[in-house]
Amino acid sequence: MHPLELTSESLQRALDLATRFVREEIDSLDSQPSADVLGAEELALGFVEPPPASPRPLEAILDRLRPAIRKSFNTAGPGYLAFIPGGGIMSAAIADFIAVSANRYVGVRPPAPALAQIEATAIGWLASIMGYPKTAGGILTSGGSLSTLSAIVAAREAKLPDDFSRGTIYVSAETHYCVPKAARIAGFRDWQVRRVAVDPRRRVDPMALAQAIERDHLKGLKPFMIVANVGTTNTGAIDPIPRLVSIGRSHSMWVHADAAYGGFFRLAGAGPDLMPEIEECDSITLDPHKGMFLPYGTGCLLVRDPESLKRAHSMDAEYLHDVRAQEQPNFSDLSPELSRDFRGLRIWLPLVLHGLGAFKDAIEEKLMLTRWAYDQLRADSRFELIDEPQLSVVAFRLKGAGPASDALNEELQRRVNARGRVFLSSTRLDGRYVIRLCVLSFRTHMDRVRDAVEAIRAEADEVLSTGSA
Ligand SMILES: Cc1ncc(COP(=O)(O)O)c(C=O)c1O
Protein backbone atom coordinates (compact mmCIF):
# COMPACT_ATOMS: atom_id res chain seq x y z
CA MET A 1 0.00 0.00 0.00
CA HIS A 2 1.10 3.57 -0.64
CA PRO A 3 2.94 4.92 2.43
CA LEU A 4 0.54 7.87 2.68
CA GLU A 5 -2.42 5.49 2.98
CA LEU A 6 -2.66 3.95 6.43
CA THR A 7 -3.80 0.34 6.49
CA SER A 8 -6.82 -0.35 8.61
CA GLU A 9 -4.61 -1.85 11.33
CA SER A 10 -2.09 0.99 11.30
CA LEU A 11 -4.91 3.53 11.33
CA GLN A 12 -6.45 1.82 14.35
CA ARG A 13 -3.09 1.69 16.10
CA ALA A 14 -2.43 5.38 15.38
CA LEU A 15 -5.89 6.29 16.61
CA ASP A 16 -5.38 4.29 19.78
CA LEU A 17 -2.14 6.14 20.41
CA ALA A 18 -3.69 9.52 19.63
CA THR A 19 -6.75 8.76 21.77
CA ARG A 20 -4.59 7.72 24.71
CA PHE A 21 -2.50 10.87 24.26
CA VAL A 22 -5.59 13.11 24.17
CA ARG A 23 -7.19 11.37 27.14
CA GLU A 24 -4.05 11.86 29.20
CA GLU A 25 -4.07 15.54 28.29
CA ILE A 26 -7.77 16.02 29.04
CA ASP A 27 -7.82 13.87 32.19
CA SER A 28 -4.94 15.84 33.67
CA LEU A 29 -6.25 19.32 32.78
CA ASP A 30 -7.50 19.83 36.31
CA SER A 31 -4.07 19.34 37.83
CA GLN A 32 -2.06 21.08 35.11
CA PRO A 33 -0.94 24.64 35.86
CA SER A 34 -3.22 27.32 34.49
CA ALA A 35 -0.26 28.66 32.53
CA ASP A 36 3.34 27.55 32.15
CA VAL A 37 5.49 29.34 29.63
CA LEU A 38 8.80 29.23 31.44
CA GLY A 39 11.32 28.05 28.83
CA ALA A 40 8.63 27.91 26.15
CA GLU A 41 10.61 30.02 23.67
CA GLU A 42 13.64 27.72 24.03
CA LEU A 43 11.34 24.79 23.39
CA ALA A 44 9.93 26.59 20.35
CA LEU A 45 13.44 26.87 18.91
CA GLY A 46 13.62 23.07 18.87
CA PHE A 47 10.87 23.13 16.24
CA VAL A 48 12.87 25.26 13.85
CA GLU A 49 14.05 22.46 11.58
CA PRO A 50 14.06 21.31 7.97
CA PRO A 51 11.34 18.84 6.90
CA PRO A 52 12.37 15.26 7.71
CA ALA A 53 13.21 13.14 4.68
CA SER A 54 12.31 9.85 6.33
CA PRO A 55 9.43 8.70 8.56
CA ARG A 56 9.39 8.92 12.33
CA PRO A 57 7.26 6.84 14.71
CA LEU A 58 4.04 8.41 15.98
CA GLU A 59 4.98 7.63 19.60
CA ALA A 60 8.10 9.79 19.26
CA ILE A 61 6.13 12.58 17.57
CA LEU A 62 3.53 12.59 20.35
CA ASP A 63 6.32 12.63 22.93
CA ARG A 64 7.63 15.80 21.30
CA LEU A 65 4.19 17.36 21.11
CA ARG A 66 3.31 16.91 24.76
CA PRO A 67 5.73 19.52 26.15
CA ALA A 68 4.81 21.86 23.28
CA ILE A 69 1.21 21.66 24.42
CA ARG A 70 2.02 21.95 28.11
CA LYS A 71 4.35 24.96 27.78
CA SER A 72 1.52 27.39 27.18
CA PHE A 73 -1.40 29.27 28.63
CA ASN A 74 -3.72 26.42 29.50
CA THR A 75 -6.65 27.76 27.48
CA ALA A 76 -8.46 24.40 27.67
CA GLY A 77 -8.27 24.14 31.45
CA PRO A 78 -10.71 25.18 34.19
CA GLY A 79 -8.39 27.85 35.57
CA TYR A 80 -8.28 29.91 32.41
CA LEU A 81 -10.10 33.11 33.33
CA ALA A 82 -8.10 35.44 31.09
CA PHE A 83 -9.12 37.38 27.96
CA ILE A 84 -12.23 35.55 26.63
CA PRO A 85 -12.03 31.83 27.39
CA GLY A 86 -13.82 29.11 25.44
CA GLY A 87 -12.62 25.62 26.27
CA GLY A 88 -12.93 23.25 23.32
CA ILE A 89 -15.52 20.56 23.95
CA MET A 90 -14.38 17.10 22.94
CA SER A 91 -17.46 16.36 20.84
CA ALA A 92 -16.26 19.09 18.46
CA ALA A 93 -12.91 17.31 18.19
CA ILE A 94 -14.74 14.13 17.26
CA ALA A 95 -16.73 16.10 14.67
CA ASP A 96 -13.51 17.53 13.26
CA PHE A 97 -11.95 14.10 13.04
CA ILE A 98 -14.91 12.81 11.06
CA ALA A 99 -15.10 15.94 8.87
CA VAL A 100 -11.40 15.94 8.05
CA SER A 101 -11.38 12.19 7.41
CA ALA A 102 -14.42 12.33 5.12
CA ASN A 103 -12.83 15.38 3.45
CA ARG A 104 -15.88 16.25 1.37
CA TYR A 105 -16.27 19.59 -0.33
CA VAL A 106 -18.84 22.03 1.01
CA GLY A 107 -17.60 25.34 -0.43
CA VAL A 108 -20.28 24.93 -3.09
CA ARG A 109 -23.39 22.83 -2.53
CA PRO A 110 -23.71 20.25 -5.34
CA PRO A 111 -20.63 18.13 -4.45
CA ALA A 112 -22.12 17.24 -1.03
CA PRO A 113 -25.63 18.70 -0.64
CA ALA A 114 -26.50 16.92 2.62
CA LEU A 115 -23.27 18.02 4.29
CA ALA A 116 -23.73 21.59 3.05
CA GLN A 117 -27.26 21.37 4.46
CA ILE A 118 -25.93 20.18 7.83
CA GLU A 119 -23.84 23.35 7.92
CA ALA A 120 -26.75 25.51 6.75
CA THR A 121 -28.95 23.92 9.41
CA ALA A 122 -26.35 24.64 12.10
CA ILE A 123 -26.21 28.27 10.95
CA GLY A 124 -30.02 28.36 11.08
CA TRP A 125 -29.93 27.12 14.68
CA LEU A 126 -27.49 29.87 15.62
CA ALA A 127 -29.75 32.40 13.89
CA SER A 128 -32.75 31.16 15.86
CA ILE A 129 -30.78 31.40 19.13
CA MET A 130 -30.29 35.08 18.31
CA GLY A 131 -33.99 35.54 17.53
CA TYR A 132 -33.51 36.00 13.79
CA PRO A 133 -36.35 34.99 11.43
CA LYS A 134 -36.12 31.82 9.31
CA THR A 135 -35.26 33.93 6.27
CA ALA A 136 -31.95 34.96 7.87
CA GLY A 137 -28.69 33.35 6.82
CA GLY A 138 -25.00 33.49 7.42
CA ILE A 139 -21.60 31.89 7.15
CA LEU A 140 -19.18 30.11 9.41
CA THR A 141 -15.80 31.80 9.63
CA SER A 142 -12.55 31.21 11.47
CA GLY A 143 -13.59 33.74 14.14
CA GLY A 144 -15.00 37.14 14.99
CA SER A 145 -12.36 39.08 13.08
CA LEU A 146 -13.24 37.48 9.74
CA SER A 147 -16.98 37.69 10.49
CA THR A 148 -16.55 41.41 11.07
CA LEU A 149 -14.69 41.82 7.79
CA SER A 150 -17.55 40.20 5.87
CA ALA A 151 -20.09 42.30 7.79
CA ILE A 152 -18.31 45.53 6.86
CA VAL A 153 -18.02 44.51 3.22
CA ALA A 154 -21.73 43.54 3.15
CA ALA A 155 -22.70 46.87 4.74
CA ARG A 156 -20.47 48.78 2.33
CA GLU A 157 -21.99 47.05 -0.70
CA ALA A 158 -25.53 47.54 0.63
CA LYS A 159 -25.19 51.22 1.54
CA LEU A 160 -22.34 52.66 -0.56
CA PRO A 161 -21.92 50.34 -3.53
CA ASP A 162 -20.21 52.85 -5.83
CA ASP A 163 -18.07 55.12 -3.71
CA PHE A 164 -17.23 54.65 -0.06
CA SER A 165 -14.45 57.22 0.12
CA ARG A 166 -16.58 59.43 2.40
CA GLY A 167 -18.36 56.60 4.23
CA THR A 168 -18.11 56.54 8.02
CA ILE A 169 -18.52 53.71 10.55
CA TYR A 170 -19.46 54.36 14.20
CA VAL A 171 -18.01 52.30 17.03
CA SER A 172 -17.62 53.00 20.72
CA ALA A 173 -14.41 53.70 22.55
CA GLU A 174 -14.74 50.13 23.89
CA THR A 175 -15.20 48.35 20.56
CA HIS A 176 -12.88 45.43 19.85
CA TYR A 177 -9.94 46.33 17.66
CA CYS A 178 -10.99 43.80 15.03
CA VAL A 179 -13.57 46.34 13.81
CA PRO A 180 -11.17 49.16 12.81
CA LYS A 181 -8.78 46.49 11.56
CA ALA A 182 -11.46 44.94 9.34
CA ALA A 183 -12.45 48.42 8.14
CA ARG A 184 -8.86 49.09 7.11
CA ILE A 185 -8.66 45.75 5.28
CA ALA A 186 -11.97 46.61 3.58
CA GLY A 187 -10.41 49.76 2.16
CA PHE A 188 -11.39 52.44 4.69
CA ARG A 189 -8.91 54.97 6.04
CA ASP A 190 -8.55 55.02 9.82
CA TRP A 191 -10.37 58.39 10.09
CA GLN A 192 -13.48 56.79 8.61
CA VAL A 193 -13.99 54.80 11.81
CA ARG A 194 -15.50 57.23 14.34
CA ARG A 195 -15.11 56.43 18.03
CA VAL A 196 -18.04 57.52 20.16
CA ALA A 197 -17.84 58.12 23.93
CA VAL A 198 -19.24 55.64 26.45
CA ASP A 199 -21.25 56.13 29.64
CA PRO A 200 -19.94 55.19 33.10
CA ARG A 201 -20.95 51.55 32.47
CA ARG A 202 -18.92 51.64 29.24
CA ARG A 203 -21.94 51.41 26.94
CA VAL A 204 -21.99 53.71 23.97
CA ASP A 205 -23.72 57.04 24.62
CA PRO A 206 -26.58 57.12 22.06
CA MET A 207 -26.88 60.91 22.24
CA ALA A 208 -23.20 61.30 21.43
CA LEU A 209 -23.64 58.79 18.61
CA ALA A 210 -26.61 60.63 17.10
CA GLN A 211 -24.73 63.94 17.33
CA ALA A 212 -21.62 62.50 15.70
CA ILE A 213 -23.70 61.19 12.82
CA GLU A 214 -25.50 64.54 12.39
CA ARG A 215 -22.19 66.42 12.45
CA ASP A 216 -20.66 64.11 9.87
CA HIS A 217 -23.69 64.51 7.58
CA LEU A 218 -23.22 68.26 7.74
CA LYS A 219 -19.57 67.81 6.76
CA GLY A 220 -20.69 65.96 3.64
CA LEU A 221 -19.62 62.54 4.96
CA LYS A 222 -21.72 59.42 4.44
CA PRO A 223 -22.46 57.67 7.74
CA PHE A 224 -23.46 54.12 6.75
CA MET A 225 -22.72 51.70 9.58
CA ILE A 226 -23.08 51.46 13.37
CA VAL A 227 -21.43 48.69 15.38
CA ALA A 228 -23.20 47.79 18.62
CA ASN A 229 -21.16 46.02 21.28
CA VAL A 230 -22.91 43.02 22.78
CA GLY A 231 -20.29 42.20 25.39
CA THR A 232 -17.11 44.24 25.21
CA THR A 233 -13.84 42.45 25.79
CA ASN A 234 -12.80 44.77 28.60
CA THR A 235 -15.83 44.50 30.86
CA GLY A 236 -18.64 42.74 28.98
CA ALA A 237 -20.59 45.97 28.44
CA ILE A 238 -23.69 45.79 26.24
CA ASP A 239 -24.66 48.86 24.22
CA PRO A 240 -28.30 50.06 24.21
CA ILE A 241 -29.21 48.15 21.04
CA PRO A 242 -32.78 49.51 20.61
CA ARG A 243 -31.47 53.08 20.58
CA LEU A 244 -28.76 52.19 18.09
CA VAL A 245 -31.23 50.37 15.85
CA SER A 246 -33.54 53.36 15.91
CA ILE A 247 -30.71 55.82 15.11
CA GLY A 248 -29.54 53.49 12.36
CA ARG A 249 -33.01 53.24 10.83
CA SER A 250 -33.57 56.98 10.87
CA HIS A 251 -30.38 57.44 8.83
CA SER A 252 -30.80 54.32 6.70
CA MET A 253 -27.60 52.88 8.15
CA TRP A 254 -26.49 49.27 8.60
CA VAL A 255 -26.46 48.19 12.25
CA HIS A 256 -24.05 45.40 13.11
CA ALA A 257 -23.89 43.68 16.51
CA ASP A 258 -20.51 42.48 17.71
CA ALA A 259 -21.81 39.63 19.84
CA ALA A 260 -18.62 37.59 19.43
CA TYR A 261 -18.35 37.28 23.19
CA GLY A 262 -21.84 38.09 24.43
CA GLY A 263 -24.12 36.45 21.88
CA PHE A 264 -24.50 33.02 23.43
CA PHE A 265 -25.66 34.54 26.71
CA ARG A 266 -28.98 34.89 24.88
CA LEU A 267 -29.39 31.20 25.74
CA ALA A 268 -29.75 32.07 29.43
CA GLY A 269 -33.18 32.68 30.92
CA ALA A 270 -32.35 36.36 31.26
CA GLY A 271 -30.59 36.36 27.89
CA PRO A 272 -33.16 38.08 25.64
CA ASP A 273 -33.49 40.90 28.19
CA LEU A 274 -29.72 41.36 28.27
CA MET A 275 -29.66 42.20 24.56
CA PRO A 276 -33.12 43.42 23.54
CA GLU A 277 -33.67 43.88 19.80
CA ILE A 278 -30.42 42.24 18.78
CA GLU A 279 -32.63 40.47 16.23
CA GLU A 280 -33.29 43.87 14.62
CA CYS A 281 -29.63 44.33 13.72
CA ASP A 282 -28.69 43.77 10.08
CA SER A 283 -25.84 41.46 11.02
CA ILE A 284 -24.43 39.74 14.09
CA THR A 285 -20.93 38.44 14.77
CA LEU A 286 -21.04 35.36 16.98
CA ASP A 287 -18.07 33.32 18.18
CA PRO A 288 -19.01 29.71 18.90
CA HIS A 289 -15.38 29.30 20.00
CA LYS A 290 -16.25 31.50 22.95
CA GLY A 291 -19.78 31.09 24.34
CA MET A 292 -20.48 27.73 22.72
CA PHE A 293 -17.18 26.36 24.07
CA LEU A 294 -16.04 25.09 20.67
CA PRO A 295 -12.38 24.95 19.63
CA TYR A 296 -10.63 28.03 18.25
CA GLY A 297 -11.36 28.63 14.61
CA THR A 298 -15.16 28.63 14.90
CA GLY A 299 -16.79 31.97 14.13
CA CYS A 300 -20.08 32.94 12.57
CA LEU A 301 -21.62 35.90 10.81
CA LEU A 302 -25.41 36.05 10.73
CA VAL A 303 -27.33 38.41 8.46
CA ARG A 304 -31.03 39.22 8.33
CA ASP A 305 -30.87 39.30 4.53
CA PRO A 306 -28.58 36.65 3.00
CA GLU A 307 -28.74 38.50 -0.33
CA SER A 308 -26.59 41.20 1.28
CA LEU A 309 -23.76 38.69 1.78
CA LYS A 310 -24.22 37.44 -1.76
CA ARG A 311 -23.99 40.92 -3.27
CA ALA A 312 -20.72 41.44 -1.40
CA HIS A 313 -19.05 38.09 -2.06
CA SER A 314 -20.48 36.34 -5.09
CA MET A 315 -18.56 36.05 -8.34
CA ASP A 316 -18.71 33.79 -11.35
CA ALA A 317 -16.07 31.57 -12.98
CA GLU A 318 -16.46 29.30 -16.01
CA TYR A 319 -14.61 26.40 -14.37
CA LEU A 320 -17.19 26.29 -11.56
CA HIS A 321 -20.26 25.98 -13.75
CA ASP A 322 -20.51 22.21 -13.22
CA VAL A 323 -20.91 22.60 -9.49
CA ARG A 324 -22.80 25.82 -8.81
CA ALA A 325 -26.10 25.41 -7.04
CA GLN A 326 -28.81 27.64 -8.41
CA GLU A 327 -31.61 27.20 -5.88
CA GLN A 328 -29.71 26.84 -2.61
CA PRO A 329 -26.88 29.10 -1.50
CA ASN A 330 -23.28 28.12 -2.09
CA PHE A 331 -21.20 29.14 0.92
CA SER A 332 -18.55 30.47 -1.47
CA ASP A 333 -21.11 32.99 -2.77
CA LEU A 334 -21.61 34.35 0.74
CA SER A 335 -18.05 34.46 2.03
CA PRO A 336 -14.48 35.23 0.91
CA GLU A 337 -13.58 31.52 0.99
CA LEU A 338 -13.90 28.79 -1.63
CA SER A 339 -12.08 25.63 -0.52
CA ARG A 340 -12.20 25.15 3.21
CA ASP A 341 -12.90 22.65 5.97
CA PHE A 342 -16.39 21.30 6.66
CA ARG A 343 -16.64 23.34 9.83
CA GLY A 344 -20.40 23.04 10.14
CA LEU A 345 -20.02 19.57 11.65
CA ARG A 346 -18.24 20.90 14.72
CA ILE A 347 -21.34 22.94 15.55
CA TRP A 348 -24.00 20.50 14.38
CA LEU A 349 -22.64 17.34 16.00
CA PRO A 350 -22.19 18.76 19.53
CA LEU A 351 -25.66 20.33 19.40
CA VAL A 352 -27.24 17.06 18.29
CA LEU A 353 -25.19 14.99 20.71
CA HIS A 354 -25.63 17.09 23.86
CA GLY A 355 -28.84 18.98 23.06
CA LEU A 356 -29.27 22.72 23.42
CA GLY A 357 -30.17 22.36 27.10
CA ALA A 358 -26.59 21.40 28.02
CA PHE A 359 -25.34 24.66 26.48
CA LYS A 360 -28.02 26.70 28.20
CA ASP A 361 -27.15 25.17 31.58
CA ALA A 362 -23.45 25.86 31.06
CA ILE A 363 -24.12 29.50 30.15
CA GLU A 364 -26.39 29.94 33.20
CA GLU A 365 -23.61 28.49 35.37
CA LYS A 366 -21.12 31.05 34.01
CA LEU A 367 -23.44 33.91 34.93
CA MET A 368 -23.95 32.49 38.41
CA LEU A 369 -20.20 31.98 38.99
CA THR A 370 -19.42 35.49 37.81
CA ARG A 371 -22.02 36.98 40.12
CA TRP A 372 -20.59 34.96 43.01
CA ALA A 373 -17.03 36.13 42.35
CA TYR A 374 -18.23 39.71 42.02
CA ASP A 375 -20.13 39.57 45.32
CA GLN A 376 -17.12 38.09 47.10
CA LEU A 377 -14.70 40.73 45.89
CA ARG A 378 -17.19 43.55 46.42
CA ALA A 379 -17.56 42.48 50.04
CA ASP A 380 -13.82 43.02 50.53
CA SER A 381 -13.25 46.72 51.09
CA ARG A 382 -9.72 46.59 49.68
CA PHE A 383 -11.05 46.15 46.16
CA GLU A 384 -12.69 48.55 43.78
CA LEU A 385 -15.11 46.78 41.42
CA ILE A 386 -15.25 48.55 38.08
CA ASP A 387 -18.88 47.66 37.32
CA GLU A 388 -21.54 45.15 38.18
CA PRO A 389 -21.02 42.35 35.63
CA GLN A 390 -23.23 42.75 32.59
CA LEU A 391 -22.10 39.30 31.41
CA SER A 392 -19.25 37.17 32.81
CA VAL A 393 -16.37 39.60 33.38
CA VAL A 394 -15.40 40.81 36.84
CA ALA A 395 -13.09 43.82 36.43
CA PHE A 396 -11.46 44.94 39.64
CA ARG A 397 -8.40 46.53 41.19
CA LEU A 398 -6.89 47.19 44.56
CA LYS A 399 -8.05 50.62 45.61
CA GLY A 400 -5.65 53.48 45.14
CA ALA A 401 -4.48 55.89 42.50
CA GLY A 402 -1.37 56.62 40.51
CA PRO A 403 1.53 54.58 39.14
CA ALA A 404 2.31 52.99 42.52
CA SER A 405 -1.21 51.64 42.71
CA ASP A 406 -0.94 50.33 39.15
CA ALA A 407 2.27 48.56 40.12
CA LEU A 408 0.56 46.97 43.14
CA ASN A 409 -2.25 45.70 40.93
CA GLU A 410 0.18 44.35 38.39
CA GLU A 411 2.02 42.59 41.19
CA LEU A 412 -1.25 41.18 42.53
CA GLN A 413 -2.12 39.74 39.13
CA ARG A 414 1.39 38.33 38.71
CA ARG A 415 1.27 36.62 42.09
CA VAL A 416 -2.20 35.14 41.57
CA ASN A 417 -1.14 33.76 38.19
CA ALA A 418 2.13 32.42 39.60
CA ARG A 419 0.17 30.13 41.93
CA GLY A 420 -0.84 28.20 38.81
CA ARG A 421 -4.46 27.53 39.73
CA VAL A 422 -6.06 30.36 37.77
CA PHE A 423 -4.90 32.70 35.07
CA LEU A 424 -6.17 36.28 34.95
CA SER A 425 -5.52 39.01 32.40
CA SER A 426 -5.51 42.78 32.70
CA THR A 427 -6.48 45.88 30.80
CA ARG A 428 -6.30 49.65 31.24
CA LEU A 429 -9.50 51.56 31.88
CA ASP A 430 -9.39 55.36 32.11
CA GLY A 431 -5.63 55.02 32.21
CA ARG A 432 -5.64 52.70 35.24
CA TYR A 433 -4.45 49.11 35.51
CA VAL A 434 -7.45 46.81 35.93
CA ILE A 435 -7.49 43.04 36.49
CA ARG A 436 -10.09 40.97 34.67
CA LEU A 437 -11.58 37.66 35.68
CA CYS A 438 -13.68 36.23 32.85
CA VAL A 439 -15.66 33.03 33.46
CA LEU A 440 -16.51 31.33 30.20
CA SER A 441 -14.83 27.94 29.94
CA PHE A 442 -17.27 25.04 30.19
CA ARG A 443 -14.69 23.42 32.48
CA THR A 444 -14.73 26.24 35.03
CA HIS A 445 -16.92 25.44 38.01
CA MET A 446 -17.41 26.76 41.54
CA ASP A 447 -14.32 25.05 43.00
CA ARG A 448 -12.05 26.94 40.61
CA VAL A 449 -13.77 30.28 40.99
CA ARG A 450 -13.51 29.86 44.76
CA ASP A 451 -9.77 29.18 44.30
CA ALA A 452 -9.54 32.36 42.25
CA VAL A 453 -11.19 34.50 44.92
CA GLU A 454 -9.08 32.91 47.66
CA ALA A 455 -5.90 33.48 45.69
CA ILE A 456 -6.81 37.10 44.98
CA ARG A 457 -7.53 37.78 48.66
CA ALA A 458 -4.45 35.98 49.95
CA GLU A 459 -2.13 37.66 47.46
CA ALA A 460 -3.72 41.02 48.20
CA ASP A 461 -2.64 40.47 51.84
CA GLU A 462 0.91 39.86 50.65
CA VAL A 463 1.04 42.74 48.20
CA LEU A 464 -0.43 45.22 50.64
CA SER A 465 1.80 44.10 53.49
CA THR A 466 4.98 44.53 51.44
CA GLY A 467 3.50 47.78 50.14
CA SER A 468 5.26 47.89 46.81
CA ALA A 469 6.06 45.80 43.79
C1 LIG B 1 -15.99 41.44 21.60
C2 LIG B 1 -15.09 40.75 20.63
N1 LIG B 1 -15.24 40.97 19.31
C3 LIG B 1 -14.46 40.39 18.40
C4 LIG B 1 -13.43 39.55 18.78
C5 LIG B 1 -12.54 38.97 17.72
O1 LIG B 1 -12.82 37.62 17.59
P1 LIG B 1 -11.74 36.55 17.09
O2 LIG B 1 -10.63 36.55 18.10
O3 LIG B 1 -12.53 35.28 17.07
O4 LIG B 1 -11.27 36.96 15.75
C6 LIG B 1 -13.23 39.29 20.13
C7 LIG B 1 -12.13 38.39 20.55
O5 LIG B 1 -11.89 38.15 21.71
C8 LIG B 1 -14.08 39.90 21.08
O6 LIG B 1 -13.92 39.69 22.38
Side-chain angles (χ1 to χ4, degrees):
M1 192 174 285
H2 191 279
L4 292 180
E5 186 69 88
L6 301 186
T7 62
S8 181
E9 296 75 42
S10 56
L11 172 63
Q12 188 59 58
R13 200 175 108 25
L15 284 179
D16 289 346
L17 282 172
T19 308
R20 182 157 17 107
F21 175 82
V22 168
R23 276 184 38 205
E24 282 165 9
E25 285 309 299
I26 300 298
D27 291 349
S28 64
L29 275 174
D30 208 47
S31 56
Q32 288 178 30
S34 52
D36 175 17
V37 286
L38 201 68
E41 279 301 338
E42 288 73 20
L43 184 69
L45 286 179
F47 287 90
V48 180
E49 57 187 349
S54 49
R56 291 176 188 176
L58 184 57
E59 289 90 333
I61 298 170
L62 294 178
D63 283 347
R64 276 188 86 198
L65 265 182
R66 194 186 304 281
I69 293 174
R70 297 279 179 108
K71 281 284 167 194
S72 61
F73 293 179
N74 189 352
T75 44
Y80 191 70
L81 307 174
F83 306 102
I84 309 283
I89 52 179
M90 286 310 295
S91 45
I94 295 168
D96 269 12
F97 174 68
I98 296 170
V100 172
S101 306
N103 198 32
R104 295 304 200 268
Y105 198 87
V106 296
V108 287
R109 187 170 168 110
L115 299 185
Q117 185 56 52
I118 284 176
E119 183 158 320
T121 297
I123 294 169
W125 290 343
L126 300 186
S128 76
I129 289 172
M130 298 316 295
Y132 260 179
K134 283 201 162 46
T135 47
I139 48 171
L140 298 184
T141 66
S142 60
S145 301
L146 266 289
S147 305
T148 306
L149 177 61
S150 279
I152 290 179
V153 175
R156 191 190 74 193
E157 289 300 308
K159 301 294 179 185
L160 302 173
D162 300 323
D163 176 10
F164 58 90
S165 60
R166 297 185 72 71
T168 42
I169 302 171
Y170 298 80
V171 304
S172 95
E174 291 289 311
T175 296
H176 193 273
Y177 90 109
C178 76
V179 178
K181 179 173 165 179
R184 190 190 291 173
I185 297 168
F188 293 90
R189 313 311 310 173
D190 290 351
W191 67 262
Q192 291 175 279
V193 179
R194 320 294 260 184
R195 288 189 178 268
V196 181
V198 291
D199 71 10
R201 300 200 69 196
R202 298 184 183 277
R203 303 167 299 194
V204 76
D205 173 354
M207 286 284 283
L209 172 68
Q211 285 163 1
I213 292 170
E214 297 289 354
R215 267 199 314 272
D216 284 348
H217 268 301
L218 290 175
K219 285 185 197 155
L221 299 177
K222 300 212 163 117
F224 78 99
M225 185 178 194
I226 297 171
V227 177
N229 297 305
V230 183
T232 59
T233 316
N234 271 339
T235 61
I238 302 177
D239 289 341
I241 309 169
R243 299 286 304 277
L244 272 50
V245 166
S246 139
I247 295 170
R249 287 220 177 109
S250 64
H251 292 281
S252 186
M253 294 169 75
W254 182 285
V255 182
H256 172 71
D258 179 0
Y261 159 49
F264 284 100
F265 285 94
R266 201 168 188 277
L267 283 171
D273 293 335
L274 288 172
M275 51 196 88
E277 292 191 27
I278 192 166
E279 68 281 5
E280 299 298 328
C281 293
D282 297 286
S283 53
I284 304 174
T285 286
L286 263 189
D287 260 354
H289 63 202
K290 296 185 171 80
M292 221 184 125
F293 322 116
L294 296 184
Y296 293 123
T298 322
C300 176
L301 175 68
L302 299 172
V303 285
R304 278 187 76 86
D305 172 15
E307 278 301 309
S308 63
L309 278 183
K310 199 166 177 182
R311 277 194 297 274
H313 295 94
S314 146
M315 210 164 255
D316 218 354
E318 295 296 348
Y319 43 78
L320 285 178
H321 281 174
D322 295 345
V323 290
R324 286 185 82 84
Q326 298 306 325
E327 301 300 319
Q328 303 279 353
N330 295 297
F331 293 124
S332 63
D333 286 333
L334 308 178
S335 94
E337 294 178 281
L338 177 58
S339 302
R340 61 166 176 85
D341 54 329
F342 170 30
R343 54 183 77 123
L345 199 64
R346 60 155 70 164
I347 295 181
W348 183 88
L349 189 143
L351 275 170
V352 175
L353 187 69
H354 305 295
L356 194 56
F359 293 89
K360 284 187 181 175
D361 292 349
I363 276 290
E364 293 282 9
E365 184 198 19
K366 302 313 137 198
L367 289 173
M368 181 275 289
L369 294 173
T370 310
R371 185 76 221 184
W372 185 86
Y374 170 75
D375 287 342
Q376 297 297 309
L377 292 178
R378 194 182 48 160
D380 187 327
S381 60
R382 296 172 301 174
F383 296 111
E384 172 189 344
L385 277 297
I386 301 303
D387 189 17
E388 198 177 327
Q390 295 176 50
L391 291 172
S392 69
V393 178
V394 182
F396 66 96
R397 66 193 312 280
L398 283 167
K399 284 179 180 161
S405 166
D406 280 356
L408 283 185
N409 276 288
E410 196 172 342
E411 176 64 2
L412 171 62
Q413 181 199 354
R414 193 194 63 72
R415 294 180 75 111
V416 170
N417 288 351
R419 288 179 162 218
R421 284 295 284 168
V422 296
F423 192 67
L424 309 178
S425 62
S426 67
T427 186
R428 291 194 88 83
L429 295 173
D430 303 324
R432 298 184 314 159
Y433 196 95
V434 170
I435 305 173
R436 295 170 67 263
L437 179 157
C438 181
V439 188
L440 198 62
S441 168
F442 72 103
R443 293 194 171 107
T444 303
H445 304 297
M446 184 52 109
D447 57 334
R448 200 55 75 119
V449 176
R450 193 174 282 126
D451 284 356
V453 169
E454 274 169 23
I456 292 165
R457 284 202 184 121
E459 294 301 343
D461 291 344
E462 293 296 319
V463 168
L464 291 172
S465 69
T466 47
S468 79

